[in-house]
């Protein structure tokens, strides 16, 4: 495990990462989802794709990487690009799960692998709509603990910067960015995914000009049980991309 310090908007970021197969010529960058870290991605793919140099990165504010700024997905994309520049690596493939899929899309690598990527705004359940409406009604009254009362388990324990970042990215419409992608995209999705439902994957695959869609059994973390198939497909489909 290693770390690399980069500066973005005059702010230092200490980024934790790990390399596997460091002598391989072609590289694959593997990005985790929101609230996760590089370890789950390494658990899934660390023993696959031996022909590629693997780059596992804790994105800012996750795992062992620092963050003291309120960020957007575009900021994450720029920070990751600066990290790759500092490493002196231009990955042939960027793979991203959930939130990491949006960041991977911004990198414009020859091959893009999306694992139940976020980026399509979904209809909120009625219970969530009521919660949001109640929050908006009470907020002007100055209740200081509203954030702690109403925020979900997904953001429990977050710093102010990461909570505000979460609000920036959680309901972000990323359809335009998918539509202008020029990467060859492989879109893998869990059929029982409720966080990023199957229909959002179908929509993303339809937006990216050159894409293939693979619905697989499982939930939002379906890739843990389908790592061999995903790796084989990447080997076959991305080998011609330069």
């Amino acid at each position: 495990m290693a770390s690399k310090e980069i500066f973005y908007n005059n702010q230092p970021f200490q980024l934790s990462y790990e390399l596997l197969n460091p002598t391989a010529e072609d590289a694959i960058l593997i990005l985790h989802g929101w609230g996760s870290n590089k370890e789950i991605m390494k658990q899934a793919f660390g023993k696959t794709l031996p022909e590629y140099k693997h780059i596992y990165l804790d994105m800012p504010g996750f795992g062992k990487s620092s963050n003291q700024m309120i960020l957007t997905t575009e900021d994450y994309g720029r920070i990751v690009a600066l990290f790759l520049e500092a490493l002196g690596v231009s990955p042939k493939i960027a793979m991203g799960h959930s939130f990491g899929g949006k960041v991977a899309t911004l990198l414009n690598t020859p091959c893009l692998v999306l694992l139940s990527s976020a980026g399509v705004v979904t209809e909120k359940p009625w219970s969530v709509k009521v919660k949001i409406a109640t929050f908006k009604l009470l907020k002007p009254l100055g209740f200081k603990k509203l954030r702690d009362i109403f925020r979900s388990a997904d953001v429990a324990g977050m710093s102010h910067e990461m909570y505000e970042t979460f609000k920036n990215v959680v309901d972000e419409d990323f359809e335009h960015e998918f539509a202008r992608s020029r990467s060859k995209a492989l879109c893998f999705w869990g059929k029982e995914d409720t966080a990023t439902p199957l229909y959002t994957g179908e929509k993303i695959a339809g937006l990216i000009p050159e894409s293939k869609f693979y619905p697989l059994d499982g939930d939002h973390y379906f890739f843990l049980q389908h790592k061999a198939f995903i790796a084989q497909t990447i080997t076959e489909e991305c080998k011609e991309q330069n």
Side-chain angles (χ1 to χ4, degrees), residues 35-210:
S36 188
N37 57 57
K38 64 181 180 295
E39 298 304 322
I40 192 171
M41 307 310 293
K42 189 176 73 168
Q43 176 187 338
F45 298 104
K47 295 181 180 179
T48 70
L49 299 165
E51 66 272 35
Y52 290 98
K53 177 190 300 181
H54 294 207
I55 306 169
Y56 295 95
L57 173 67
D58 282 339
M59 290 192 286
F62 301 104
K64 297 181 179 179
S65 291
S66 66
N67 176 43
Q68 301 299 323
M69 287 180 63
I70 297 171
L71 302 171
T72 65
T73 303
E74 286 192 3
D75 291 324
Y76 273 94
R78 294 187 185 115
I79 290 167
V80 173
L82 287 171
F83 162 75
L84 293 170
E85 185 180 320
L87 279 188
V89 177
S90 295
K92 186 175 182 178
I93 306 168
M95 177 195 292
H97 173 233
S98 199
F99 172 65
K102 294 195 296 181
V103 179
T105 299
L106 294 176
L107 299 175
N108 295 309
T109 51
C111 205
L112 171 67
V113 179
L114 299 179
L115 308 174
S116 281
S117 178
V120 171
V121 179
T122 58
E123 181 70 13
K124 290 181 176 60
W126 176 250
S127 60
V128 175
K129 290 181 178 180
V130 170
K131 191 174 182 180
I132 292 171
T134 304
F135 177 83
K136 289 180 177 178
L137 180 66
L138 296 178
K139 189 176 179 180
L141 301 179
F143 287 86
K144 293 181 180 180
K145 294 186 178 180
L146 278 178
R147 189 184 80 173
D148 293 332
I149 294 170
F150 283 94
R151 66 183 184 176
S152 70
D154 289 339
V155 298
M158 280 186 191
S159 67
H160 167 72
E161 290 79 12
M162 290 305 292
Y163 178 66
E164 294 300 321
T165 295
F166 177 77
K167 292 198 296 184
N168 282 341
V169 307
V170 64
D171 286 326
E172 185 177 35
D173 185 344
F174 224 63
E175 292 185 22
H176 178 67
E177 284 73 14
F178 291 126
R180 67 181 184 183
S181 171
R182 293 300 174 263
S183 303
K184 178 178 182 177
L186 308 177
C187 304
F188 300 92
W189 239 262
K191 293 178 183 178
E192 291 80 44
D193 193 334
T194 56
T196 53
L198 188 65
Y199 77 86
T200 67
E202 294 170 338
K203 186 166 190 175
I204 289 170
L207 288 167
I208 299 175
E210 187 179 0

